[in-house]
Amino acid sequence: MSRGKTLLAGIGNEWRSDDGIGPWIAGALRDADLPDVAVLVCAREVLELIEAWKGAETAFVFDALCGAGQPGEVLHIDALEHALPQQALCSSHSLNLADAVALGRSLDQLPERLTLIGVEGRTFDHGRGLSPEIEAAGRRVIKMLSAELKQEGTCEHA
Amino acid sequence: MTTTRTIKVDYIARVEGEAALHITLDRDRVHRVELNIFEPPRFFEALLRGRHFTEAVDITSRICGICPIAYMMSAAHAMEDICGVKVDGPLRDLRRVLYCGEWIESHGLHVAMLHLPDFLGYPDAITMAKDHPDLVKDALRLKAVGNDLLRLLGGREIHPINVRVGGFYKLPTVAELKARRGELDWAMGATQRLLKLVAGLKAPDLRTAHEHFALRHADEYPLNEGRYASTDGVDIPIREYEQVLQEEHVAHSTALHSRRLGAANPPLACVGPAARIALNQDRLGPLARAALKEHGLEDAWRNPHRSIALRCVEILFALEESARIIDGYVAPDRPCFEVTPRAGTGYGCTEAPRGTCYHRYSIDEQGLITAAKIVPPTAVNQAAIEGDLRQFVSDRLDMPEDELRHGCEQVIRNFDPCISCSAHFLKLTVERVDGVAA
């Protein structure tokens, strides 16, 4: 992972349908050649986020949501201001995002701005591929962030 | 008159998986200790039947996200045993580095993030990190070193995809391997600092009479190969494993227990770092062996509460072993040996971070699996965990419930159990029966 002022991190499992929306968004933004951006994809090892946050001023974390709204709905949560849900873990040997934020805070390794962008999924069944409305929501997120980050880059380099 | 007191813990953190513990005691003695693993059986042995022999490596990798290499290696070795293929040279060395990566990440996480809070008096690593940030930062970096080796050689750190019967699909370049040396050097220093801390921790006294089982190799600390040995004199080829340890069902667990065969009043079987150190400390690398001696840990395997220090010694070993292999690595001309199936039965036995991981398979002429047997280390350790709990509680019958419960959790964490492998944790019930035996 190259270092940059903005970290874009996708969390999820591409082999569990809409759970793959986080990596899918992160992957698309990596290919967008944005300035001063580092991209990280976490299949499950959320601990890596803590190390990656260390060098970032701003971080966006993309993840699938379950049970927070209608499929395809997008939530933007300021993860430094608002408590994240303590979802059940599939392994005690890994952390959830809320724990990672808490540990990052204890270690003074949080970025100045940390935003969770969550996309409500429709299905988390086995297999690759996103539901149409989830992919459409992902494209909206990519378009929005690409414009925002390109604009920031242009301003800084002007 | 009967007085029953009950303590329930719906979920005990910092162990892998879910189970319940039920202890019945009165003021004089412990009546019953049962580790109730209620995780549904996962039927891996059954779903392997009918699959091609080359698929076992990737299927068994899914048994565990923490120690997938153990399952992949045992499966690969068993299939190679059937087909008469011996993977040696640089490919064997790379398998050792891959396995070292798993030991580093698994042991590193357990020692510093899951087990150490018990000794330093914190409920979890997040709370501990506020007072010991550098310690936790080092632990995270250490785990990253292990994960990095898994990614390099396994393709990814969770359920790797680059191991095959006969070798690997793709090999790393010499330059990619050499690039890891700097972090390995840092990690050796960090682990020595961690070992100095954990070796000096005050550990509860607990002496057990378990029979410790581990692989023993002629001239190396065991990871992938060796004869099967025990502290009570067992020394057999791995194909005779089931003549010594036999799995049996007990009513209170969905994970099979292991019973020692061929001994009157057999001791409880125990596998893992303590067993490996007990049987193989003369095979450790120079750095780990010197550290074991410097901190007076040669006999620490007898007290399960000192397993935290032994895991640290093994991290040190895995780091120096990886460095040794990388320093002498010469790339082979091919990533794998050709393997042609033939009918037969084969055996694979390797050392997972938590202990021996035994596999047996039979395949037919087409290479289809007709029978499979997999014995995870935590399944073997269940009876020893119960034995340690019984002894721990017996020595502390008057201890207040909260302290007793915490002590029991610590006894269980000594084993770093991977309950999801064995058949998840922990609902604890302590029942005090005054006057009437339960």
Side-chain angles (χ1 to χ4, degrees), chain B residues 60-110:
Chain B
T60 56
S61 159
R62 268 65 178 181
I63 290 174
C64 186
I66 313 300
C67 47
I69 300 301
Y71 292 92
M72 299 175 87
M73 287 294 139
S74 293
H77 278 254
M79 296 308 179
E80 290 155 8
D81 183 37
I82 297 172
C83 302
V85 170
K86 182 78 175 167
V87 174
D88 54 13
L91 293 179
R92 180 181 189 276
D93 286 345
L94 289 181
R95 281 184 168 179
R96 272 180 86 76
V97 176
L98 178 61
Y99 221 138
C100 283
E102 179 163 286
W103 277 26
I104 295 164
E105 62 89 10
S106 178
H107 278 352
L109 185 75
H110 187 73

Side-chain angles (χ1 to χ4, degrees), chain A residues 13-27:
Chain A
N13 183 344
E14 296 168 276
W15 294 91
R16 293 301 293 264
S17 307
D18 295 339
D19 193 44
I21 185 65
W24 189 82
I25 294 173

Side-chain angles (χ1 to χ4, degrees), chain A residues 3-56:
Chain A
R3 286 282 164 208
K5 289 199 303 188
T6 300
L7 174 74
L8 306 173
I11 300 175
N13 183 344
E14 296 168 276
W15 294 91
R16 293 301 293 264
S17 307
D18 295 339
D19 193 44
I21 185 65
W24 189 82
I25 294 173
L29 289 168
R30 177 163 50 204
D31 297 339
D33 195 24
L34 299 166
D36 296 327
V37 162
V39 177
L40 177 71
V41 172
C42 306
R44 207 181 77 180
E45 192 56 272
V46 177
L47 280 171
E48 285 185 14
L49 275 176
I50 299 165
E51 188 64 22
W53 282 334
K54 198 163 54 177

Side-chain angles (χ1 to χ4, degrees), chain B residues 416-436:
Chain B
D416 186 14
C418 194
I419 292 165
S420 30
C421 271
S422 69
H424 286 257
F425 205 78
L426 183 78
K427 180 178 176 182
L428 169 66
T429 306
V430 175
E431 193 176 329
R432 292 189 186 271
V433 183
D434 292 334
V436 177

Side-chain angles (χ1 to χ4, degrees), chain B residues 157-177:
Chain B
E157 63 270 47
I158 311 288
H159 308 313
I161 47 172
N162 191 35
V163 174
R164 61 187 291 181
V165 178
F168 294 89
Y169 287 97
K170 182 185 175 189
L171 293 178
T173 65
V174 173
E176 285 174 324
L177 282 163

Side-chain angles (χ1 to χ4, degrees), chain B residues 335-347:
Chain B
C336 67
F337 292 90
E338 285 298 320
V339 182
T340 305
R342 66 185 189 192
T345 297
Y347 308 85

Side-chain angles (χ1 to χ4, degrees), chain A residues 63-109:
Chain A
D63 201 357
L65 300 176
C66 180
Q70 294 299 311
E73 198 170 329
V74 179
L75 287 183
H76 294 239
I77 302 171
D78 182 334
L80 300 182
E81 290 292 325
H82 301 289
L84 298 175
Q86 284 279 357
Q87 76 268 36
L89 289 166
C90 59
S91 168
S92 56
H93 280 65
S94 60
L95 298 180
N96 59 37
L97 188 55
D99 287 336
V101 172
L103 188 52
R105 186 172 279 123
S106 292
L107 298 175
D108 195 22
Q109 281 189 197

